[in-house]
């Protein structure tokens, strides 16, 4: 479910979502360069969310260096209309130079979307983002009610989270303009959807944000964790393999420069690594035999069960059906 306060054309990334190749690229030749380059500022996080694969990770942690960021920026500049999304397995606002990195990306003339749990946001950060011209902040939450949020998002508090969204909306209003675009994505289990009204959720948040999306919580990646097992039967996810579209649309660059097949691997398993941007370009990784073999396996033949990174992935989100139906 996807809802815009002022219509989908208000979205700074409408040009991507309405592109004929968006969510249908598996029927077409491979793009010369991905729509999105997803970058991980850090894999450290201040929360302990029940659905998150970070709880399985055992590898090193750190922050993206200026050197790695600059290599990403310089290459993406050469491949318009590609855009950057700061996401990954950590909370980007933990990065000590995060606002500087936002400025670097925007000074290069690139479109940028930032995913955050919002809990560390400050007035100074929002002002810096507005000054830099950040295109979008997407706040990530879970559930439709305060109780559901706090059950899923351990170490967080609903009122604190909401105050940060209010801070972003209020600072933007005070300083004028409509950027950054503010969006809110939540996901739900079956019981959460039955206990709460999605329309009430939309009514509550629409004064603060420009876009709201409700999706299904997928617990399958962490299904073997003790605290998750009792919830597995509560999932509303349709556990049917479908052709993966993300592998035709985006590529991941982790905090240490590793270029990865997919962002679902929280532990940078070697079989999922295409190379490192310190040694190869994103373009080379995107067209590598390893990436093409994986596209064939899960993008065209749905052999997910044979791929450790894919066997619990069910790409059946409906939140972009609006674009598929209209464009």
């Amino acid at each position: 479910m996807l809802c815009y306060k002022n219509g989908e054309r208000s979205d700074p990334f409408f040009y991507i979502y309405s592109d004929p190749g968006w969510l249908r690229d598996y029927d077409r030749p491979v793009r010369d360069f991905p729509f999105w380059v997803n970058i991980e500022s850090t894999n450290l996080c201040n929360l302990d969310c029940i659905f998150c694969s970070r709880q399985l990770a055992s590898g090193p942690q750190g922050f993206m260096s200026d050197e790695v960021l600059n290599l990403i920026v310089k290459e993406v500049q050469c491949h318009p209309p590609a855009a950057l999304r700061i996401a990954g397995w950590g909370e980007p606002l933990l990065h000590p130079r995060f606002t500087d990195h936002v400025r670097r990306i925007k000074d290069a003339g690139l479109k940028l979307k930032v995913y955050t749990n919002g809990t560390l946001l400050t007035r100074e950060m929002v002002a810096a983002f507005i000054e830099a011209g950040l295109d979008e902040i997407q706040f990530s939450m879970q559930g439709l009610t305060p109780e559901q949020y706090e059950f899923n998002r351990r170490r967080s508090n609903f009122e604190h989270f909401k105050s940060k969204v209010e801070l972003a909306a209020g600072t933007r209003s005070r300083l004028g303009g409509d950027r950054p675009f503010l969006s809110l994505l939540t996901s739900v289990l079956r019981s959460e959807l039955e206990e709460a009204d999605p329309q009430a959720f939309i009514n509550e948040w629409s004064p603060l944000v420009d876009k709201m999306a409700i999706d299904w919580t997928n617990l399958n990646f962490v299904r073997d964790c003790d605290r998750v097992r009792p919830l597995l039967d509560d999932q509303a996810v349709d556990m049917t393999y479908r052709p993966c579209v993300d592998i035709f649309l985006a590529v991941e660059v982790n905090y240490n420069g590793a270029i990865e097949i997919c962002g679902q691997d929280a532990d940078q398993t070697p079989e999922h690594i295409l190379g490192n941007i310190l040694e190869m370009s994103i373009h080379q990784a995107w067209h590598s035999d390893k990436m093409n073999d994986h596209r064939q396996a899960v993008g065209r033949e749905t052999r997910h069960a044979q791929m450790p990174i894919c066997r619990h992935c069910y790409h059946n989100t409906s939140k972009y059906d609006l674009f598929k139906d209209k464009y």
Side-chain angles (χ1 to χ4, degrees):
M1 181 179 185
L2 182 64
C3 178
Y4 283 96
K5 184 160 60 177
N6 297 307
E8 65 268 20
R9 291 179 182 274
S10 65
D11 194 312
F13 298 99
F14 173 80
Y15 73 97
I16 288 180
Y17 302 141
S18 61
D19 189 284
W22 175 250
L23 293 184
R24 290 190 288 271
D25 248 16
Y26 55 85
D27 290 331
R28 300 166 180 268
V30 175
R31 297 177 58 80
D32 183 59
F33 200 78
F35 276 117
W36 296 103
V37 175
N38 299 328
I39 62 177
E40 179 183 70
S41 289
T42 181
N43 60 351
L44 283 80
C45 191
N46 60 320
L47 301 187
D48 178 28
C49 299
I50 199 166
F51 56 88
C52 183
S53 295
R54 285 192 77 257
Q55 60 195 295
L56 304 177
S58 58
Q61 298 180 324
F63 298 101
M64 181 170 283
S65 67
D66 290 357
E67 179 184 14
V68 168
L69 180 74
N70 285 332
L71 287 170
I72 296 169
V73 168
K74 288 177 181 178
E75 184 170 1
V76 176
Q77 277 183 298
C78 298
H79 295 279
L84 291 173
R85 294 188 294 202
I86 296 181
W89 287 107
E91 170 49 50
L93 300 188
L94 281 169
H95 196 297
R97 287 178 46 75
F98 186 68
T99 54
D100 293 328
H101 284 190
V102 170
R103 291 190 190 97
R104 170 72 181 94
I105 292 167
K106 290 307 302 176
D107 285 348
L110 299 177
K111 302 277 278 188
L112 174 62
K113 177 176 183 174
V114 171
Y115 293 77
T116 176
N117 65 42
T119 58
L120 302 176
L121 195 66
T122 66
R123 193 177 307 277
E124 292 72 24
M125 286 180 185
V126 178
F129 296 155
I130 292 172
E131 181 182 6
L134 175 61
D135 299 284
E136 181 177 357
I137 298 174
Q138 178 164 302
F139 293 97
S140 300
M141 65 176 292
Q142 251 63 42
L144 299 175
T145 68
E147 296 77 18
Q148 293 170 359
Y149 172 84
E150 291 175 7
F151 175 80
N152 287 286
R153 295 249 161 185
R154 307 297 169 90
R155 299 183 194 160
S156 189
N157 172 277
F158 178 81
E159 291 303 326
H160 177 73
F161 168 75
K162 188 173 184 181
S163 74
K164 296 300 183 177
V165 181
E166 292 171 337
L167 173 68
T171 304
R172 187 183 71 172
S173 176
R174 179 172 57 83
L175 295 180
D178 58 1
R179 293 291 182 270
F181 189 80
L182 301 178
S183 58
L184 179 71
L185 171 64
T186 193
S187 71
V188 294
L189 297 172
R190 185 183 294 109
S191 62
E192 292 174 329
L193 192 60
E194 293 170 352
E195 294 166 4
D197 178 9
Q199 189 57 53
F201 173 85
I202 291 170
N203 293 343
E204 177 182 7
W205 289 99
S206 59
L208 299 176
V209 300
D210 305 298
K211 178 172 73 171
M212 292 141 286
I214 303 173
D215 216 336
W216 308 123
T217 299
N218 184 358
L219 297 173
N220 291 290
F221 290 102
V222 291
R223 63 184 301 114
D224 294 327
C225 297
D226 289 342
R227 65 181 184 176
V228 173
R229 287 193 191 98
L231 303 172
L232 292 175
D233 290 340
D234 196 18
Q235 295 185 99
V237 171
D238 175 11
M239 286 182 274
T240 302
Y241 294 136
R242 291 176 171 81
C244 176
V245 296
D246 286 346
I247 200 167
F248 295 91
L249 303 175
V251 72
E252 321 294 317
V253 183
N254 295 328
Y255 81 92
N256 59 1
I259 307 171
E260 201 162 7
I261 284 173
C262 176
Q264 290 294 348
D265 181 13
D267 221 10
Q268 294 192 36
T269 308
E271 65 189 279
H272 305 144
I273 301 297
L274 301 169
N276 194 292
I277 198 167
L278 298 172
E279 301 167 351
M280 73 186 302
S281 69
I282 296 170
H283 188 270
Q284 288 172 323
W286 181 248
H287 291 283
S288 65
D289 290 343
K290 194 172 186 178
M291 188 69 163
N292 284 327
D293 289 346
H294 205 80
R295 283 193 190 99
Q296 184 67 25
V298 300
R300 296 191 172 98
E301 299 177 6
T302 59
R303 289 190 279 117
H304 296 58
Q306 301 173 20
M307 310 290 170
I309 197 175
C310 305
R311 66 172 54 117
H312 295 309
C313 190
Y314 308 100
H315 194 98
N316 51 33
T317 181
S318 61
K319 64 180 180 288
Y320 287 106
D321 285 354
L322 165 69
F323 291 90
K324 289 191 289 184
D325 293 342
K326 293 178 66 174
Y327 301 101

